[in-house]
């Protein structure tokens, strides 16, 4: 179920990455859009890594008899 949370994050990361590389290729390079898209990519990578880490984390639960 947690793996379904990856789809929106991957979509947001891909759109921000596309916009980032299109901004870098343009003749008029402004720094704020580049910083914005780079920040979105970094935050998306962080969230994806946290989702994957929590999906494979094993929790020990002790049962009382």
């Amino acid at each position: 179920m947690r793996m379904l949370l990856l789809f929106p994050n991957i979509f947001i990361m891909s759109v921000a990455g596309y916009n980032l590389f299109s901004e870098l290729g343009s003749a008029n390079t402004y720094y704020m859009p580049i910083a914005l898209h780079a920040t979105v990519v970094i935050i998306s990578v962080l969230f994806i890594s946290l989702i994957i880490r929590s999906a494979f984390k094993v929790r020990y639960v002790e049962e009382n008899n």
Side-chain angles (χ1 to χ4, degrees), residues 32-65:
M32 285 308 293
I34 293 173
L36 172 72
H37 295 305
T39 305
V40 170
V41 169
I42 291 169
I43 290 172
S44 296
V45 168
L46 176 71
F47 284 157
I48 288 171
S49 65
L50 288 174
I51 290 169
I52 291 174
R53 190 181 83 179
S54 69
F56 294 113
K57 189 174 184 179
V58 177
R59 295 189 179 116
Y60 178 72
V61 178
E62 184 176 334
E63 294 182 8
N64 294 330
N65 291 331

Side-chain angles (χ1 to χ4, degrees), residues 16-37:
Y18 176 77
N19 289 334
L20 176 65
F21 287 116
S22 67
E23 285 288 330
L24 290 175
S26 66
N28 297 333
T29 305
Y30 299 106
Y31 294 113
M32 285 308 293
I34 293 173
L36 172 72
H37 295 305

